[in-house]
Amino acid sequence: IRMKKEAQKIKKQTTKHNSQREQHHDNDGERLSKKVIKTQRRERMREALSTGLKVAIDCSMEDAMSPKEICKLCRQIQSAYGTNSRSNNPFHLYLTGLKRDSKTYAE
């Protein structure tokens, strides 16, 4: 039980440290509002459309995938999208072979 409590304590400290590190501040050290942060993200994403790297994920092989693999693919796409939107240097994400009537699109 003591080992479990120690692990929880370490995890809590790590999470707290990471959240403090990821806070958004301007040059004067002032915390930025959520609206300003969202505006900055949108600007970076627009810039990535023209100048950023282009990454393509081919979703056309769905017929050869199990339902579990499709679910994992969807989670990976969601993770890539979320990480990309928070990135300082985002990339342009293409989903190729994705059909409206596919299982991947439904998830």
Side-chain angles (χ1 to χ4, degrees), residues 4-86:
K4 190 174 182 180
K5 286 186 178 186
E6 285 294 321
Q8 288 174 344
K9 185 177 179 181
I10 291 170
K11 184 177 179 181
K12 186 176 180 180
Q13 289 173 344
T14 304
T15 304
K16 185 177 179 181
H17 174 72
N18 288 342
S19 68
Q20 288 174 347
R21 187 183 57 180
E22 292 176 5
Q23 290 179 348
H24 300 279
H25 293 66
D26 65 4
N27 292 337
D28 299 330
E30 294 290 321
R31 182 147 167 71
L32 299 174
S33 69
K34 287 183 181 182
K35 187 175 182 178
V36 171
I37 294 168
K38 283 184 182 181
T39 303
Q40 289 175 345
R41 282 184 183 166
R42 282 191 203 113
E43 289 173 8
R44 287 194 307 264
M45 293 299 280
R46 277 192 211 108
E47 187 178 318
L49 288 173
S50 60
T51 61
L53 293 173
K54 292 168 178 45
V55 176
I57 299 175
D58 186 10
C59 300
S60 65
M61 298 298 293
E62 171 180 286
D63 297 335
M65 297 171 72
S66 70
K68 188 175 182 179
E69 290 173 326
I70 292 172
C71 185
K72 286 182 179 183
L73 171 65
C74 293
R75 276 194 243 131
Q76 289 171 351
I77 291 170
Q78 289 171 340
S79 176
Y81 180 81
T83 302
N84 186 45
S85 68
R86 291 185 303 270

